[in-house]
Amino acid sequence: MSTGVIALSYISSLIVNAVVLLGCVSLFMWIERESENEFIKRHRYFLLCSLGIAYLALAYMEAQANNLLSRNLTGFHWTYLNMVIVGLFNLILRLRIKPQLVITLLFTMVWGISGMMTSAVSPISVEQTVGLMVVECLIYGFAKQIVARPWLYVITFIVFSFFGLSMGSMLYKGQTAGAWARQILALVVLEGVIILYARLLGKQNERIREFKHRAEFDGLTGCKTFGVFNTDLQDAYQHFTQTRKIYAMYAMDLDHFKQINDTYGHVAGNEVLKTVAHKIKELVDNLDYPAALYRTGGEEFTMLMYEVNPDEARNEAISKMIQAEVAQLNFVFDERQVKITISLGEDIVTANDANYLDLYKRADHFLYTSKHRGRNTITLHGQN
């Protein structure tokens, strides 16, 4: 076979292998980090294992098909052997779950048996298969340490590749030194491409998570944003229409906050907002009911509390607790002690609500009823 044909086969097969690998890595990382799709969240590891099986099956069948149909095995880089080695190595490191280890060991066993069937069974071929399986178990057991230490990662990949290529030699006899060199170079290139591409995807996913966090959480107070509040409120109402489980809303507003900004500046105002939000969130996280706190305006906060009982005494106690904790906060600006009070409006969802906004309108109306009654006041279901 001419050098030009070998070079063309080598480059084209390397490109095809890289494209297939990168496509699988993209799909794998998407399934691994998808957080919106409920089906994927419920069956994540099953889907990842299934993808790994499909990938290995494709690579192995291509390798066997090329082995059986090709008339010239010189330069067996195009046999997909590298894809099998790279796939096995990275699946164990990435998933780190027992089902994937079992699948990998079974695949290696089948690979070894099929290799022995096409060539004479020898103690060396058995040792190669068992050796690769032992290395796979060690990689599974020390996966975190391997990923965390680049030098250990490189050594582990070299050892794993040695056993993988040794098993490949059972299928492909009579390879030249040049063929082996091309094979090893292609293997290193493919693993390098995967590492680089995975890092790029990882950085992109980090940026996406950062943007998502900024969209969902207020940068100043750490509370959830109005957009999240609107979505959660719709979901709560939809859940109520299906299950009749009651939820409550507490609308809160800091009294005379504008005076703090005008008198002491926005830096002081920001400190007040952060401190008050932190205090209320501490209370919210320790309630008897699941609840979430949102910043729904400049100095306005709203709490949604789920699966509550229509207990006015309990609702009033929660409102008074929030009010009392905020009133105990002490601020000092320009050597002056500043106290903060808060007004609240609270109500629960009812069967008469036509849509998710009806409760919001009532709670907001009750909040401003508290404001008009002199501030530092609580209005529950329209009653002071």
Side-chain angles (χ1 to χ4, degrees), residues 30-38 40-41 44 209 212:
W30 175 71
I31 295 174
E32 190 177 41
R33 305 190 180 190
E34 173 60 33
S35 59
E36 302 295 333
N37 189 296
E38 291 298 327
I40 293 178
K41 288 168 62 177
R44 192 183 308 278
R209 285 195 299 270
K212 187 172 184 290

Side-chain angles (χ1 to χ4, degrees), residues 254-255 257 260 264 267-279 325-341:
L254 303 188
D255 298 327
F257 181 75
I260 295 176
Y264 304 105
V267 174
N270 288 344
E271 182 180 341
V272 170
L273 288 172
K274 287 190 291 186
T275 304
V276 170
H278 179 72
K279 175 56 66 176
E325 290 292 332
V326 171
Q328 290 178 10
L329 296 174
N330 291 308
F331 300 92
V332 177
F333 303 122
D334 296 341
E335 298 182 354
R336 297 179 183 177
Q337 187 173 4
V338 178
K339 302 293 289 185
I340 299 295
T341 60

Side-chain angles (χ1 to χ4, degrees), residues 254-356:
L254 303 188
D255 298 327
H256 304 294
F257 181 75
K258 186 176 183 302
Q259 293 182 12
I260 295 176
N261 273 337
D262 293 343
T263 304
Y264 304 105
H266 289 282
V267 174
N270 288 344
E271 182 180 341
V272 170
L273 288 172
K274 287 190 291 186
T275 304
V276 170
H278 179 72
K279 175 56 66 176
I280 297 176
K281 194 172 186 306
E282 281 185 349
L283 298 174
V284 169
D285 292 340
N286 291 285
L287 290 174
D288 299 335
Y289 306 100
L293 182 66
Y294 310 83
R295 186 183 180 188
T296 48
E299 66 271 23
E300 294 182 10
F301 298 90
T302 303
M303 179 178 71
L304 289 178
M305 194 164 64
Y306 303 95
E307 300 181 12
V308 301
N309 297 318
D311 184 348
E312 291 192 13
R314 178 57 177 156
N315 295 339
E316 182 178 3
I318 292 174
S319 297
K320 287 184 176 180
M321 179 176 60
I322 294 174
Q323 191 178 56
E325 290 292 332
V326 171
Q328 290 178 10
L329 296 174
N330 291 308
F331 300 92
V332 177
F333 303 122
D334 296 341
E335 298 182 354
R336 297 179 183 177
Q337 187 173 4
V338 178
K339 302 293 289 185
I340 299 295
T341 60
I342 191 170
S343 298
L344 294 95
E346 185 273 343
D347 205 355
I348 61 174
V349 67
T350 69
N352 295 325
D353 288 345
N355 56 60
Y356 76 100

Side-chain angles (χ1 to χ4, degrees), residues 159-192:
V159 173
F160 186 85
S161 300
F162 171 79
F163 281 96
L165 291 173
S166 297
M167 289 185 63
S169 66
M170 292 190 298
L171 297 175
Y172 311 109
K173 302 293 185 180
Q175 300 303 310
T176 65
W180 275 107
R182 290 191 297 271
Q183 182 72 17
I184 294 172
L185 177 60
L187 179 61
V188 173
V189 169
L190 289 177
E191 181 63 20

Side-chain angles (χ1 to χ4, degrees), residues 208-268:
I208 292 174
R209 285 195 299 270
E210 183 180 350
F211 293 148
K212 187 172 184 290
H213 186 272
R214 290 179 181 178
E216 294 180 349
F217 293 90
D218 177 56
L220 178 64
T221 63
C223 298
K224 295 182 179 181
T225 61
F226 183 84
V228 178
F229 166 73
N230 190 63
T231 300
D232 289 353
L233 187 56
Q234 292 184 61
D235 293 342
Y237 179 75
Q238 182 68 25
H239 186 66
F240 169 74
T241 59
Q242 296 171 352
T243 65
R244 292 301 169 183
K245 290 185 177 180
I246 298 173
Y247 60 95
M249 181 185 297
Y250 293 74
M252 297 165 269
D253 187 271
L254 303 188
D255 298 327
H256 304 294
F257 181 75
K258 186 176 183 302
Q259 293 182 12
I260 295 176
N261 273 337
D262 293 343
T263 304
Y264 304 105
H266 289 282
V267 174

